[in-house]
């Protein structure tokens, strides 16, 4: 992806070298969304459901940014700026105003309006404060643990989390999450799959515009599709336990995730991403 020397977002909050305990208990839709991402990245929910009893944070004076970390921070800031530009335009065309989210950089653990999370949770979005959270060490983990190398694979992850922000602004999150209290977990999981596939579609919409601005390089689309394939429920379960349990899927299969990202990439608009009305995923 052509990103060096380009505009960076001003909506980046750098908390690297800081720690903290949770600022809010996890419950309802907020907790569910983070737990979704725990599953997405193969994280341990125990890291998220840890000590939520208080609120404190402090600066680690020993933290020093390496050249590699600076490059990664610059990269995600440029991608965030790109998403801001694309979604501001898309919302305006539909007579709406896009409220830009904040991206929080952290190391090891972080506090959000959704509670405390350790870095093993992976990148996540908290609708309670409308912020994206990412420990940049995930960049390496995406390549080594998930086998999805390339900067555009990381761009896909960021665009997916921004997709959850779009769902929050459009009211989709408020419509779907309360259903958890009205049905069995197995039935609700089917809604979660459609919820996550829609975020993949929105990530594809962003990639469509990136291509239109001649920002993609050869192999970038394959990198994004490779990342979508790597975090499919079936792929993660096969890798983690050797077999799949379809009724426990919360994000969709690798094939479905690739398909909906590709649809967003082909269409380039919000329209066409209603996964909840799709007869076949």
């Amino acid at each position: 992806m052509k990103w060096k020397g380009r505009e960076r977002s001003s909506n980046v909050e750098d908390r690297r070298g800081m720690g903290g305990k949770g600022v809010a208990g996890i419950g309802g839709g907020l907790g569910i969304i983070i737990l979704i991402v725990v599953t997405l990245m193969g994280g341990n929910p125990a890291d998220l459901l840890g000590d939520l009893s208080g609120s404190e944070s402090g600066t680690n004076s020993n933290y020093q940014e390496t050249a590699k970390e600076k490059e990664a921070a610059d990269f995600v800031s440029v991608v965030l700026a790109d998403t801001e530009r694309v979604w501001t335009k898309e919302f305006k065309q539909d007579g709406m105003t896009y409220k830009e989210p904040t991206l929080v950089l952290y190391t090891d653990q972080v506090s959000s309006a959704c509670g405390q999370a350790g870095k093993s949770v992976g990148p996540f979005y908290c609708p309670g404060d409308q912020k994206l959270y990412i420990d940049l060490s995930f960049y390496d983990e995406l390549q080594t643990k998930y086998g999805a190398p390339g900067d555009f694979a990381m761009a896909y992850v960021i665009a997916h989390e921004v997709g959850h922000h779009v769902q929050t602004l459009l009211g989709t999150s408020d419509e779907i999450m309360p259903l958890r209290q009205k049905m069995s977990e197995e039935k609700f999981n089917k809604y979660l799959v459609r919820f996550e596939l829609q975020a993949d579609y929105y990530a594809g919409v962003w990639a469509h515009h990136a291509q239109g601005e001649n920002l993609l390089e050869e192999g970038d689309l394959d990198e994004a599709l490779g990342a979508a394939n790597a975090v499919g429920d079936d792929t993660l379960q096969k890798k983690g336990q050797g077999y799949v349990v379809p009724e426990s899927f919360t994000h969709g299969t690798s094939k479905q995730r690739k398909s909906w990202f590709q649809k967003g990439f082909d269409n380039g608009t919000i329209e066409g991403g209603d996964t909840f009305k799709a007869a076949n995923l």
Side-chain angles (χ1 to χ4, degrees):
M1 179 182 178
K2 303 173 185 176
W3 67 272
K4 291 188 176 181
R6 295 180 49 233
E7 179 184 3
R8 291 179 290 177
S9 173
S10 60
N11 297 309
V12 177
E13 182 180 338
D14 195 344
R15 294 194 210 166
R16 289 176 291 175
M18 299 177 66
K21 294 184 178 180
V23 297
I26 294 179
L30 306 189
I32 288 174
I33 286 185
I34 292 189
L35 289 174
I36 290 173
V37 185
V38 172
T39 305
L40 169 63
M41 299 306 175
N44 182 358
D47 293 323
L48 182 61
L49 301 174
D51 183 3
L52 301 175
S53 60
S55 176
E56 69 177 59
S57 63
T59 302
N60 181 356
S61 59
N62 294 324
Y63 175 77
Q64 291 188 357
E65 182 183 54
T66 66
K68 184 177 181 180
E69 289 169 338
K70 184 181 186 309
E71 182 174 71
D74 288 345
F75 173 73
V76 298
S77 181
V78 169
V79 173
L80 183 64
D82 286 345
T83 65
E84 292 166 351
R85 185 172 61 256
V86 168
W87 287 114
T88 294
K89 179 181 178 181
E90 287 298 306
F91 270 55
K92 185 176 182 180
Q93 288 179 346
D94 289 339
M96 300 179 292
T97 300
Y98 181 68
K99 180 181 178 182
E100 298 174 351
T102 296
L103 187 151
V104 178
L105 302 177
Y106 74 96
T107 50
D108 298 327
Q109 63 178 357
V110 70
S111 296
S112 74
C114 299
Q116 180 183 359
K119 68 177 182 180
S120 61
V121 169
F124 67 91
Y125 169 76
C126 176
D129 52 26
Q130 297 190 7
K131 295 182 178 182
L132 292 72
Y133 293 82
I134 182 170
D135 183 317
L136 293 174
S137 64
F138 181 75
Y139 201 152
D140 292 330
E141 188 174 352
L142 188 61
Q143 301 178 54
T144 58
K145 181 177 179 179
Y146 297 97
D151 56 9
F152 211 68
M154 187 63 170
Y156 154 75
V157 172
I158 298 168
H160 173 92
E161 300 308 330
V162 172
H164 283 314
H165 179 63
V166 172
Q167 290 174 313
T168 295
L169 297 182
L170 294 178
T172 308
S173 302
D174 288 338
E175 292 179 7
I176 299 304
M177 292 308 160
L179 298 178
R180 180 65 185 90
Q181 310 301 323
K182 302 178 182 180
M183 58 185 64
S184 67
E185 180 178 354
E186 181 177 337
K187 188 173 182 179
F188 181 64
N189 282 346
K190 295 180 180 180
Y191 283 91
L192 290 185
V193 167
R194 292 175 183 269
F195 184 76
E196 288 294 329
L197 292 179
Q198 186 176 67
D200 282 332
Y201 176 89
Y202 290 153
V205 170
W206 166 75
H208 170 93
H209 289 274
Q211 183 194 49
E213 295 177 9
N214 195 33
L215 299 178
L216 270 62
E217 298 176 310
E218 184 178 356
D220 278 347
L221 182 58
D222 288 337
E223 290 175 1
L225 290 172
N229 181 78
V231 294
D233 283 323
D234 53 341
T235 298
L236 289 176
Q237 289 189 0
K238 285 179 182 178
K239 184 177 181 180
Q241 61 192 26
Y243 59 92
V244 300
V245 184
E247 57 269 23
S248 69
F249 288 176
T250 55
H251 287 70
T253 65
S254 293
K255 181 179 179 180
Q256 290 170 333
R257 301 202 68 171
K258 290 168 60 179
S259 175
W260 280 97
F261 175 85
Q262 184 71 58
K263 288 179 181 179
F265 183 80
D266 293 339
N267 293 340
T269 63
I270 293 179
E271 291 72 23
D274 192 347
T275 55
F276 299 97
K277 292 183 179 180
N280 297 304
L281 294 177

